[in-house]
Amino acid sequence: MNNAAEKKLALSHLWVAFAAFIVACFMGEYQVLERSGLFPSLESPTVYFASVSTHGVLMAFVLTTFFIMGFGYYIACTSLKQPVWNKPLAWGAFWLALFGVVLAAVPLLSGKASVLYTFYPPIVAHAAFYIGATLLVVGSWVWCAIMLVMFAQWKKANPGQNVPLAMFATAANALLWLWASAGVALEVLFQLIPFSLGWIDTIDPGLAKTLFAWTLHPIVYFWLIPAYTAFYVFVPKQAGGFLFSDEMARLAFVVLVVFALPIGFHHLYMDPEQAKGWKLLHGVGTFVVALPTLVTGFTVIASLEIAGRLRGGKGLFGWIGTLPWTNPMVLAVILSLLMLIFGGFGGIVNASYAMNAMIHNTAWVPGHFHLIFAGTTVIMYLAVAYYLWPILVGKPLFSNSMALVQLWTWFIGMSVLTTPWHVLGLLGQPRRISTVVYNNLLTLSWKPYELMMILGGLILLGSACLFIYNLVKTQLTPLVGEFTAEIEYAEPIHAVGVLPEYLNDLKLWNKVIAVLMAISFGYPILQFFFMKTFGSSVWGY
C-alpha cells in the first residue's frame, strides 16, 4: 500500500508535537532557575506563572495530543493495511487543533492565562485560552472518531479475525479519551467560558474541580497508552525476539481503560467537596489500575528475556547483557521501566490517604508527575520518533550514536531533576510558588537540592536540543543511494487463536465504563445542583 499521504499526515502532527516540546523545555529550565531563589535578577512571579502555565499546556496538552494523533494515524493505516478513513477530515482536525493552540498561546504568553494547566477556578484566564483549548480537544475528538470508524470498518470487513494488537490499543485509547475529556469539556463549556466572557457572575469551584478530576487522572493513561503500545508492538521485534503474550497485552489495555476512568477523587483527598466514602471508592480504584502496569512490566520484561536468550544469553540474568543496547527502542524501554518503578512508588504514596496528607501540595507532586510523564512516557515518545522518522522521511537516522547519548542524558537528567523534588517535598517545600521569600534553618536545608534541580534541568535541556537536532538533520540531509524502511510489528511467541470478543472488541467495555462512571461521578456531580449555596456572588457555593 502506498501510504505517502499517511506519512505526511503523521509527520505534520509529530513536528507540531516536538516543536511544542522543545519550547516547553526552555521554559522548564527558566522555571527551575527562578524557583531556586539563587538568581534574584530572574525573579518575577508574573513571568514565572506565565511560563509554568505555558510549559504545562505545551507538554501535557500539545505535545501529547499531536503525538498521539500522528502516531495513531500511522499505526491505523499500517496495522490494518488500509488508508486513513476520510483524510480531508483528519487534516481539518489537524488545522483546527493547531489554530486552537495558537489562539490559546496568545493569552498564555502575555500573562493573561497564568492559571496553570489545571486552570482551577476561581482564578480565571482570558476567554481565548479556554476557547483555544476547546478547539484542541475538538480536533482530538475527530481523531478519536476516525480511529473508531477504522476499527469498526476493519472488523466488518474481516469477520472472525483478530484485530491487530496495535490497532486494538489505539482504538482503546480513543475510547478512553472520549470519556476522559468529557469532564473538562463540561467544565470549560458551561462554567469557564461563560464566566470568562462575563455571561455569568458566579462559578462553583467545587463543581469545577470535580469535573476536572473526571479528566485529571485518566488523561495520564491517554498519554501513557502510546508508550505501552510501543512496549508491546515494537520493542520485542527491535530486541530480536517475540512478544510474550498477545492476550495479556490486550487484557492490560482493557483493564487500563476501564479502571483509569472512575478514579479521579484521589486528587481531591484534601478538598471538602466530596465525602469520604466517595474518596474511598476512588482510592480503591486507583490501586486497581496499578494491575495493568504490573502486567505490562512482566510481559515486556519477559519479551526482552526471550530476545536475550535467543541472542545467546545464559544463566539467570545473562540475557540482559546480550540485548541490543545500541538499539534506541530497546534502550528507551529499559530506562522507561526503571523510571516507571520509582514513579509508580510515588504514585502509591499519592493514592494513599494518610501518606498523601504529608506530601499534598509539596514539591513531591511535580517530582512524581515528571518522573511518570516526562520520564516514563516522553522517553518512549522520543524512541518512537527515532524509529518512525527514517520510515516517514525515507532517509536513515542521522546519528544512532547521538540518539543513544540523548536517551541516556534524558534518563540521567530526569533522575537528577526529580530526586531533589521528592526530597524537597518531604522537607515541606510547597509547590505552585515562584520563589521562597523567607529564610530559616528549614529553607537553608533546601539549597543543595535546588542546585541539583538546576543541574537536572540543564541536562534535560541539552538532551532535548540533541533530539531536535537529530530529527532535523535526518530530514534535511540529502539521501545518498537508496534507503527503504517499513514499520515492523512484533509477533507473539505463541500463535494467537480465535480471541473471545471481550479481547477483540470494545462495545462491552464501553457499557461497563458507562456504568462505572455513573456510579463514581453521578451523585458527586448532581449534589452541586441541590446543595444550598448561601447566596454567594463570588464563590457560588
Side-chain angles (χ1 to χ4, degrees), residues 372-386:
I372 288 292
F373 171 64
T376 299
T377 302
V378 169
I379 200 170
M380 289 308 300
Y381 287 11
L382 307 180
V384 168
Y386 287 135

PDB file of all heavy atoms in Angstrom, residues 372-386:
ATOM      1  N   ILE A 372       6.860  10.169  35.954  1.00  0.00           N
ATOM      2  CA  ILE A 372       5.953   9.311  35.194  1.00  0.00           C
ATOM      3  C   ILE A 372       5.734   9.849  33.782  1.00  0.00           C
ATOM      4  O   ILE A 372       5.825   9.111  32.794  1.00  0.00           O
ATOM      5  CB  ILE A 372       4.600   9.177  35.924  1.00  0.00           C
ATOM      6  CG1 ILE A 372       4.753   8.297  37.176  1.00  0.00           C
ATOM      7  CG2 ILE A 372       3.532   8.568  35.003  1.00  0.00           C
ATOM      8  CD1 ILE A 372       5.039   6.836  36.871  1.00  0.00           C
ATOM      9  N   PHE A 373       5.432  11.142  33.676  1.00  0.00           N
ATOM     10  CA  PHE A 373       5.104  11.698  32.368  1.00  0.00           C
ATOM     11  C   PHE A 373       6.357  12.013  31.543  1.00  0.00           C
ATOM     12  O   PHE A 373       6.601  11.410  30.504  1.00  0.00           O
ATOM     13  CB  PHE A 373       4.245  12.955  32.524  1.00  0.00           C
ATOM     14  CG  PHE A 373       4.052  13.701  31.231  1.00  0.00           C
ATOM     15  CD1 PHE A 373       3.379  13.110  30.178  1.00  0.00           C
ATOM     16  CD2 PHE A 373       4.573  14.972  31.054  1.00  0.00           C
ATOM     17  CE1 PHE A 373       3.220  13.774  28.969  1.00  0.00           C
ATOM     18  CE2 PHE A 373       4.418  15.652  29.859  1.00  0.00           C
ATOM     19  CZ  PHE A 373       3.737  15.049  28.808  1.00  0.00           C
ATOM     20  N   ALA A 374       7.168  12.965  32.026  1.00  0.00           N
ATOM     21  CA  ALA A 374       8.347  13.373  31.267  1.00  0.00           C
ATOM     22  C   ALA A 374       9.409  12.285  31.233  1.00  0.00           C
ATOM     23  O   ALA A 374      10.267  12.266  30.345  1.00  0.00           O
ATOM     24  CB  ALA A 374       8.926  14.656  31.860  1.00  0.00           C
ATOM     25  N   GLY A 375       9.348  11.370  32.205  1.00  0.00           N
ATOM     26  CA  GLY A 375      10.295  10.262  32.213  1.00  0.00           C
ATOM     27  C   GLY A 375       9.783   9.052  31.464  1.00  0.00           C
ATOM     28  O   GLY A 375      10.099   8.823  30.294  1.00  0.00           O
ATOM     29  N   THR A 376       8.943   8.276  32.113  1.00  0.00           N
ATOM     30  CA  THR A 376       8.448   7.016  31.545  1.00  0.00           C
ATOM     31  C   THR A 376       7.795   7.199  30.179  1.00  0.00           C
ATOM     32  O   THR A 376       8.056   6.446  29.239  1.00  0.00           O
ATOM     33  CB  THR A 376       7.430   6.383  32.514  1.00  0.00           C
ATOM     34  OG1 THR A 376       8.074   6.103  33.758  1.00  0.00           O
ATOM     35  CG2 THR A 376       6.850   5.106  31.938  1.00  0.00           C
ATOM     36  N   THR A 377       6.936   8.206  30.051  1.00  0.00           N
ATOM     37  CA  THR A 377       6.146   8.361  28.830  1.00  0.00           C
ATOM     38  C   THR A 377       6.928   9.047  27.726  1.00  0.00           C
ATOM     39  O   THR A 377       7.037   8.534  26.602  1.00  0.00           O
ATOM     40  CB  THR A 377       4.861   9.158  29.145  1.00  0.00           C
ATOM     41  OG1 THR A 377       4.124   8.464  30.155  1.00  0.00           O
ATOM     42  CG2 THR A 377       3.996   9.314  27.908  1.00  0.00           C
ATOM     43  N   VAL A 378       7.491  10.215  28.014  1.00  0.00           N
ATOM     44  CA  VAL A 378       8.127  11.008  26.962  1.00  0.00           C
ATOM     45  C   VAL A 378       9.348  10.298  26.388  1.00  0.00           C
ATOM     46  O   VAL A 378       9.604  10.398  25.181  1.00  0.00           O
ATOM     47  CB  VAL A 378       8.478  12.412  27.486  1.00  0.00           C
ATOM     48  CG1 VAL A 378       9.380  13.163  26.501  1.00  0.00           C
ATOM     49  CG2 VAL A 378       7.208  13.210  27.735  1.00  0.00           C
ATOM     50  N   ILE A 379      10.089   9.562  27.194  1.00  0.00           N
ATOM     51  CA  ILE A 379      11.263   8.881  26.637  1.00  0.00           C
ATOM     52  C   ILE A 379      10.847   7.857  25.572  1.00  0.00           C
ATOM     53  O   ILE A 379      11.559   7.634  24.597  1.00  0.00           O
ATOM     54  CB  ILE A 379      12.122   8.221  27.738  1.00  0.00           C
ATOM     55  CG1 ILE A 379      13.543   7.974  27.222  1.00  0.00           C
ATOM     56  CG2 ILE A 379      11.508   6.908  28.230  1.00  0.00           C
ATOM     57  CD1 ILE A 379      14.534   7.555  28.295  1.00  0.00           C
ATOM     58  N   MET A 380       9.643   7.280  25.720  1.00  0.00           N
ATOM     59  CA  MET A 380       9.154   6.368  24.687  1.00  0.00           C
ATOM     60  C   MET A 380       8.662   7.143  23.461  1.00  0.00           C
ATOM     61  O   MET A 380       8.768   6.664  22.334  1.00  0.00           O
ATOM     62  CB  MET A 380       8.045   5.472  25.238  1.00  0.00           C
ATOM     63  CG  MET A 380       8.523   4.433  26.224  1.00  0.00           C
ATOM     64  SD  MET A 380       9.906   3.413  25.632  1.00  0.00           S
ATOM     65  CE  MET A 380       9.200   2.627  24.182  1.00  0.00           C
ATOM     66  N   TYR A 381       8.116   8.347  23.656  1.00  0.00           N
ATOM     67  CA  TYR A 381       7.793   9.195  22.502  1.00  0.00           C
ATOM     68  C   TYR A 381       9.063   9.473  21.694  1.00  0.00           C
ATOM     69  O   TYR A 381       9.041   9.452  20.451  1.00  0.00           O
ATOM     70  CB  TYR A 381       7.198  10.529  22.969  1.00  0.00           C
ATOM     71  CG  TYR A 381       5.788  10.491  23.516  1.00  0.00           C
ATOM     72  CD1 TYR A 381       5.133   9.296  23.810  1.00  0.00           C
ATOM     73  CD2 TYR A 381       5.090  11.673  23.759  1.00  0.00           C
ATOM     74  CE1 TYR A 381       3.846   9.287  24.321  1.00  0.00           C
ATOM     75  CE2 TYR A 381       3.800  11.676  24.262  1.00  0.00           C
ATOM     76  CZ  TYR A 381       3.181  10.473  24.548  1.00  0.00           C
ATOM     77  OH  TYR A 381       1.899  10.468  25.048  1.00  0.00           O
ATOM     78  N   LEU A 382      10.159   9.762  22.396  1.00  0.00           N
ATOM     79  CA  LEU A 382      11.422  10.036  21.717  1.00  0.00           C
ATOM     80  C   LEU A 382      11.903   8.799  20.956  1.00  0.00           C
ATOM     81  O   LEU A 382      12.355   8.898  19.808  1.00  0.00           O
ATOM     82  CB  LEU A 382      12.481  10.480  22.730  1.00  0.00           C
ATOM     83  CG  LEU A 382      12.106  11.640  23.666  1.00  0.00           C
ATOM     84  CD1 LEU A 382      13.268  11.969  24.604  1.00  0.00           C
ATOM     85  CD2 LEU A 382      11.684  12.872  22.892  1.00  0.00           C
ATOM     86  N   ALA A 383      11.796   7.638  21.575  1.00  0.00           N
ATOM     87  CA  ALA A 383      12.228   6.405  20.923  1.00  0.00           C
ATOM     88  C   ALA A 383      11.366   6.089  19.704  1.00  0.00           C
ATOM     89  O   ALA A 383      11.876   5.648  18.664  1.00  0.00           O
ATOM     90  CB  ALA A 383      12.187   5.240  21.915  1.00  0.00           C
ATOM     91  N   VAL A 384      10.059   6.288  19.822  1.00  0.00           N
ATOM     92  CA  VAL A 384       9.158   6.076  18.683  1.00  0.00           C
ATOM     93  C   VAL A 384       9.535   7.014  17.544  1.00  0.00           C
ATOM     94  O   VAL A 384       9.528   6.622  16.364  1.00  0.00           O
ATOM     95  CB  VAL A 384       7.691   6.278  19.109  1.00  0.00           C
ATOM     96  CG1 VAL A 384       6.777   6.356  17.888  1.00  0.00           C
ATOM     97  CG2 VAL A 384       7.241   5.139  20.022  1.00  0.00           C
ATOM     98  N   ALA A 385       9.878   8.263  17.877  1.00  0.00           N
ATOM     99  CA  ALA A 385      10.291   9.214  16.840  1.00  0.00           C
ATOM    100  C   ALA A 385      11.554   8.727  16.131  1.00  0.00           C
ATOM    101  O   ALA A 385      11.640   8.784  14.892  1.00  0.00           O
ATOM    102  CB  ALA A 385      10.520  10.591  17.450  1.00  0.00           C
ATOM    103  N   TYR A 386      12.523   8.242  16.890  1.00  0.00           N
ATOM    104  CA  TYR A 386      13.739   7.721  16.263  1.00  0.00           C
ATOM    105  C   TYR A 386      13.433   6.545  15.339  1.00  0.00           C
ATOM    106  O   TYR A 386      14.069   6.372  14.290  1.00  0.00           O
ATOM    107  CB  TYR A 386      14.739   7.270  17.334  1.00  0.00           C
ATOM    108  CG  TYR A 386      15.417   8.403  18.066  1.00  0.00           C
ATOM    109  CD1 TYR A 386      15.548   8.367  19.449  1.00  0.00           C
ATOM    110  CD2 TYR A 386      15.926   9.503  17.383  1.00  0.00           C
ATOM    111  CE1 TYR A 386      16.178   9.395  20.136  1.00  0.00           C
ATOM    112  CE2 TYR A 386      16.564  10.533  18.062  1.00  0.00           C
ATOM    113  CZ  TYR A 386      16.677  10.475  19.436  1.00  0.00           C
ATOM    114  OH  TYR A 386      17.301  11.494  20.104  1.00  0.00           O
TER     115      TYR A 386
END
